CSV table of all heavy atoms in Angstrom, one decimal:
chain,number,residue,atom,x,y,z
A,152,GLU,N,204.0,153.5,62.4
A,152,GLU,CA,203.0,152.8,63.3
A,152,GLU,C,203.3,151.3,63.3
A,152,GLU,O,203.2,150.6,62.2
A,152,GLU,CB,201.6,153.0,62.9
A,152,GLU,CG,200.6,152.4,64.0
A,152,GLU,CD,199.2,152.7,63.6
A,152,GLU,OE1,198.9,153.3,62.6
A,152,GLU,OE2,198.3,152.3,64.5
A,201,SER,N,180.5,125.8,52.7
A,201,SER,CA,179.1,125.5,52.6
A,201,SER,C,178.3,126.8,52.1
A,201,SER,O,178.4,127.8,52.7
A,201,SER,CB,178.6,125.2,54.0
A,201,SER,OG,177.2,125.3,54.1
A,289,GLY,N,177.3,149.9,77.5
A,289,GLY,CA,177.5,151.2,77.0
A,289,GLY,C,176.9,151.3,75.5
A,289,GLY,O,175.7,150.9,75.3
A,368,LEU,N,176.9,121.4,62.1
A,368,LEU,CA,178.1,121.0,61.4
A,368,LEU,C,177.7,119.8,60.5
A,368,LEU,O,178.3,119.6,59.4
A,368,LEU,CB,179.1,120.6,62.4
A,368,LEU,CG,180.5,120.2,61.8
A,368,LEU,CD1,181.1,121.3,60.9
A,368,LEU,CD2,181.5,119.9,62.9
A,373,GLU,N,180.9,119.4,54.1
A,373,GLU,CA,182.1,119.9,53.3
A,373,GLU,C,183.0,120.7,54.1
A,373,GLU,O,184.2,121.0,53.7
A,373,GLU,CB,181.7,120.6,52.0
A,373,GLU,CG,180.9,121.9,52.3
A,373,GLU,CD,179.4,121.7,52.3
A,373,GLU,OE1,178.9,120.8,53.1
A,373,GLU,OE2,178.7,122.4,51.6
Side-chain angles (χ1 to χ4, degrees):
E152 188 177 5
S201 161
L368 185 57
E373 63 267 54

